[in-house]
Amino acid sequence: MTDVFQGYDQGPGAAYDEMFSGGAVRREYHAVHETFLRMPTDEIVTRADSVASSYLDQGITFGVGGEERPFPLDIVPRLIDMKRWVEVEAGVKQRVLALEAFLDDIYSSARVLSEGVIPRSVVVTSPHYHRVVAGFSPPNGVRIHVSGIDLIRDDEGDFRVLEDNARVPSGVSYVMTNRRAVASALPEAFSEHRIEPVNSYPRRLLAALRAAAPVGVGDPTVVVLTPGVYNSAYFEHSMLARRMGIELVEGRDLVCRGGRVSMRTTRGLQPVHVIYRRVDDDFLDPVHFRHDSMLGVPGLINAARAGHVTIANAVGNGVADDKLLYSYVPDLIRYYLREEPILRNVDTWRLGDDDAREEVLDRLDELVLKPVDGSGGKGIVIGPRAEAAELDELRRKILADPRAWVAQPVISLSTVPTLIDGQVRPRHVDLRPFAVNDGNDVWVLPGGLTRVALPEGELIVNSSRGGGSKDTWVVSDRRDATPVPKVVPRRIGVDGAAAPSDPGPAMASLTDDEHGQQQQQQQQQQQQQGLDRLDHRGLDRLDHRGPNRLDHRGPNRLDHRGLDRLDHRGLDRLDHRGLDRLDHRGPDGLDHQEASC
């Protein structure tokens, strides 16, 4: 029997390790550590290979640039003791409530701006701030039905917030599949712990979505709206729909007429009341956003404003997870909730501030620079690892557009033992807990998604950069019957004004869901898919009438007659004569005609 931990070297100045402290095993990891010590290395590798092959067999993958890749799952779980988790849970709830209040405020009275808590420019210059939804309140007041708050552990082992995701956070499907796989692969260790379950997430989500139904709808129809099979998170979309027992639809499956949304079914049109959309704002409604979108539903925003359908998460939430806005969230907690933040931010310099910018420009080679609108680690520059030319280019970009950047110190993420080539080695991790808001309570899924950077020394945990995942166990000590006390936020005085912004620094890992790029690719693929379909099926009769008539009459009329008829007739010659013409003229016609929907 071989010690798989042999040679596990954290090294001098190493990051906080979650299993070991000074060579000793932390209390919550004893059973897991003992389990691996009792097993021959060959058996550990065999079990890990079995987990990997089962993921491939089940199609648990993610997509990058249209290529499906397996999502590596490490066999060594990550453990968080209940006492520490209670703090995380309370901090996530607090943050979600503050962001909910912020979104409600800026799309109504904007009191937070008029009172100077945050500069108006931070909001109005955000590309995710959409005036089209100003003055509109969702049926039960909830805008962030689902959120993912990215956390890291610093050198002291304290959790810090790295990023907020209030648009379409992904990854929760891996939380559930990881649990099932690791529980099966490590039954000995699993049975030794009292682990918080994660399989209630679909039920909680469906309850929250139903609670968000339009007023007067007692038995709402809820659907999951996906960009389609080419999206990297399609596995998750289909899994959630299946687990919730609701329909998975694409934009072409929905139609908007008279301010109401319906779903095409074999029995005709069926009303839809709540849409859990996994499509970005820009592609959601071609009437108001990208006119060439083939992923959304024309007229959807108008239907939502009319109160006939609820969109979850709400349109315009992106302003709440702008990386510049992130630096103000502690102020928002104090302002709206009159509480001190439970979870600290990573310190962040705002480069729109003259003094901060001057300091950062002097220390570019020491800091991490992040574009405020970036995702998936794209555009991030880690100063200590950058070449001089790269830093010079970065300096020019900052001076040209300071608002587009923030800076943070390099923080080494905590490490968790990870099986690498038959040996356990320290690898950096982050954590994305998921929260569901039903309007009465914010529920936090115990555990969340742990992402692990598999290359040695790597700080970027994104799956597209070679990252994998771990099962996250929130555990209670069976021997300790002492109730875990709740975390009560420290209140600030009723008359206390919002504390001034902390201009300090912060940062760390580089994460995110690659939605923007992916949905751009998805749009292109859908377009190509649409052309292929037209090409294969042909449409002689439409050809006789000519694309001009189609253009003048517009998709409305086409829609009333039924896209099914269009399909049956085919469009061979339209392909030759000019999808170009249809393409150039179509979106305008769509815009004018569908705006009444």
Side-chain angles (χ1 to χ4, degrees), residues 132 225 250-252 254-256 261 277 279-303 311 315 519 523 527 555-556 559 583 585-597:
V132 68
L225 175 61
E250 298 182 22
R252 59 190 173 184
L254 301 179
V255 59
C256 177
V261 179
R277 56 77 175 245
V279 176
D280 284 346
D281 288 356
D282 288 346
F283 297 90
L284 195 58
D285 183 347
V287 174
H288 291 284
F289 301 111
R290 282 187 54 152
H291 291 180
D292 62 342
S293 173
M294 299 179 69
L295 308 180
V297 185
L300 185 57
I301 299 297
N302 289 350
I311 302 171
V315 174
Q519 295 203 9
Q523 168 78 1
Q527 286 174 327
N556 256 352
D559 186 54
D583 187 50
R585 298 181 180 185
D588 286 335
L590 185 66
D591 186 14
H592 299 316
Q593 308 237 10
E594 286 286 340
S596 62
C597 180

Side-chain angles (χ1 to χ4, degrees), residues 136-148:
F136 167 67
S137 296
N140 66 341
V142 175
R143 296 174 186 272
I144 311 174
H145 304 80
V146 180
S147 55

Side-chain angles (χ1 to χ4, degrees), residues 9-16 155 412-413 428:
D9 183 14
Q10 298 169 250
Y16 177 88
D155 294 341
S412 189
L413 315 185
H428 296 289

Side-chain angles (χ1 to χ4, degrees), residues 165-170 277-280 313 321 513 515 519:
N165 296 280
R167 283 176 281 174
V168 284
S170 62
R277 56 77 175 245
R278 300 298 295 261
V279 176
D280 284 346
N313 284 338
D321 55 32
D513 23 320
H515 279 292
Q519 295 203 9

